[in-house]
Amino acid sequence: SCFLFGESALLPTKLEKWYNEVIKNDADFAKVHKEILTALNKWSDGGRWDSIWMAGLRDEENETIFDKIINGDIPASVVYDDEDVLAFKDIAPAAPAHVLVIPKDRANLSSLRKASKDHIEILGKMLMVAGDIAKDETLGFTGNGARLVINDGADGGQEVPHLHMHVLGGRKMEWPPG
């Protein structure tokens, strides 16, 4: 039998041959192997993999303008850049200071509603970057506060299907916003 679901080989030929020999000659290993396969097949039959990022859940959104900015195909006034997060000035600012913070790897985060526990780290990092940007007076923030906005979906005013945070400042914000 092949590794995992018995479908086409997922292991190189020599490794698969060794693996099958271990199953054949080691009763304890064969028993555990069968128990694991049974549980995994139940997960598969029950659709459990469908909600797990990169196991069944895939990002199927088209490339966005943000992907083109990340790839360097479209220029942007970048104010922060690391391996995970990119921040740049909005080309149509809604306040004297207006910066967008985006994850470089969208990882199915086309909208906030698609966030899962798998995204906790990147969402936290984006918030930390937004907080640092909101303190930067050279970008037009006053030091008296800023507004962080995430538009989610069409009804929420989201125009680009790539999760992004707007950091707005440089003036007193009004409530309600819109």
Side-chain angles (χ1 to χ4, degrees):
S1 80
C2 184
F3 182 67
L4 287 182
F5 297 101
E7 297 174 6
S8 61
L10 298 175
L11 297 173
T13 306
K14 287 183 180 180
L15 187 57
E16 183 180 6
K17 184 178 177 183
W18 168 84
Y19 186 78
N20 288 331
E21 284 296 314
V22 172
I23 292 171
K24 181 178 164 185
N25 297 318
D26 185 330
D28 291 333
F29 183 85
K31 180 182 175 189
V32 171
H33 179 263
K34 183 178 178 183
E35 289 172 0
I36 291 171
L37 283 182
T38 300
L40 291 175
N41 282 322
K42 283 182 182 178
W43 268 36
S44 186
D45 293 344
R48 174 65 175 100
W49 296 113
D50 297 345
S51 64
I52 300 173
W53 175 244
M54 296 307 288
L57 188 62
R58 300 279 193 262
D59 186 348
E60 297 177 357
E61 295 289 339
N62 293 326
E63 183 178 58
T64 69
I65 189 170
F66 293 164
D67 295 306
K68 292 176 182 178
I69 290 170
I70 292 165
N71 295 333
D73 298 333
I74 295 177
S77 295
V78 174
V79 300
Y80 181 87
D81 186 3
D82 71 15
E83 65 276 3
D84 300 316
V85 175
L86 184 69
F88 50 91
K89 293 180 180 180
D90 195 302
I91 59 169
H98 188 167
V99 175
L100 299 175
V101 179
I102 65 172
K104 283 186 171 180
D105 181 359
R106 187 173 58 195
N108 201 42
L109 278 175
S110 56
S111 67
L112 186 61
R113 287 167 291 134
K114 291 188 176 183
S116 71
K117 290 180 181 178
D118 296 333
H119 300 111
I120 289 172
E121 185 175 339
I122 190 63
L123 291 170
K125 188 165 187 180
M126 290 172 65
L127 282 170
M128 293 300 298
V129 168
D132 288 342
I133 288 169
K135 293 183 247 179
D136 190 339
E137 293 182 11
T138 66
L139 295 173
F141 294 95
T142 63
N144 290 325
R147 176 169 287 162
L148 178 63
V149 176
I150 299 175
N151 298 322
D152 190 53
D155 286 353
Q158 184 179 7
E159 296 177 356
V160 179
H162 185 132
L163 180 73
H164 55 286
M165 299 176 175
H166 297 260
V167 186
L168 302 152
R171 66 170 168 81
K172 183 168 175 43
M173 300 291 156
E174 301 295 323
W175 194 261

